[in-house]
Amino acid sequence: MNGSVSTILMFAAFIVLMYFMMIRPQKKQQQKRREMMSNLKKGDAVVTIGRLHGVIDSINPAEHTVTLDCDGIYLTFDQSAIGQVIPAESAVKSAPSAVEKTPEQKQPTETTDSETEKKEENNKE
């Protein structure tokens, strides 16, 4: 009798351990994903499960689809294909500056007479 009680307790402890180690974290992850999907909005930068980066152009809640603008190419995906959402504010902050100086716009460096003479000699050869 004493052996069967300990077996039942071990089995119950195993069930509780499985719940806290597997089922509960999975439910939390599912809740987080549902929340992410419900907060999708136009202008959010997203990454699909296929690692395609784009910006949400439109959302169709009736068909559960999202249209992404990928550098001027508009693609339609199921909402379940969205793997990660990067909010519009952080996407703008992390994007590199679009206004970079071209080589013509950069300030010329001053050269000495000896450097100029060396360049002229190299051009003659």
Side-chain angles (χ1 to χ4, degrees):
M1 170 103 173
N2 206 9
S4 64
V5 172
S6 65
T7 305
I8 292 173
L9 288 176
M10 290 297 272
F11 186 70
F14 182 72
I15 300 284
V16 170
L17 182 67
M18 279 191 55
Y19 174 77
F20 283 107
M21 296 297 287
M22 296 175 64
I23 298 170
R24 189 167 179 225
Q26 185 179 8
K27 285 185 179 182
K28 282 185 178 182
Q29 187 178 22
Q30 287 174 345
Q31 178 62 30
K32 184 178 177 184
R33 180 157 174 80
R34 266 189 243 115
E35 185 178 313
M36 177 187 73
M37 293 305 211
S38 66
N39 291 333
L40 287 176
K41 62 184 180 298
K42 184 176 179 176
D44 282 348
V46 296
V47 180
T48 65
I49 57 176
R51 300 296 175 231
L52 180 71
H53 296 250
V55 177
I56 295 178
D57 183 61
S58 65
I59 300 172
N60 186 344
E63 295 179 6
H64 300 290
T65 59
V66 177
T67 302
L68 299 182
D69 178 5
C70 302
D71 291 332
I73 300 171
Y74 294 90
L75 303 169
T76 303
F77 291 96
D78 288 338
Q79 282 184 347
S80 61
I82 303 298
Q84 182 181 5
V85 177
I86 305 166
E89 300 86 40
S90 64
V92 171
K93 290 178 186 176
S94 66
S97 174
V99 181
E100 292 184 16
K101 290 187 176 183
T102 61
E104 297 84 34
Q105 293 174 330
K106 292 182 179 177
Q107 296 295 328
T109 58
E110 301 220 4
T111 58
T112 60
D113 290 332
S114 62
E115 290 175 353
T116 306
E117 290 173 4
K118 288 179 185 177
K119 287 181 184 177
E120 289 176 0
E121 289 176 11
N122 289 337
N123 288 338
K124 288 180 183 178
E125 296 175 357

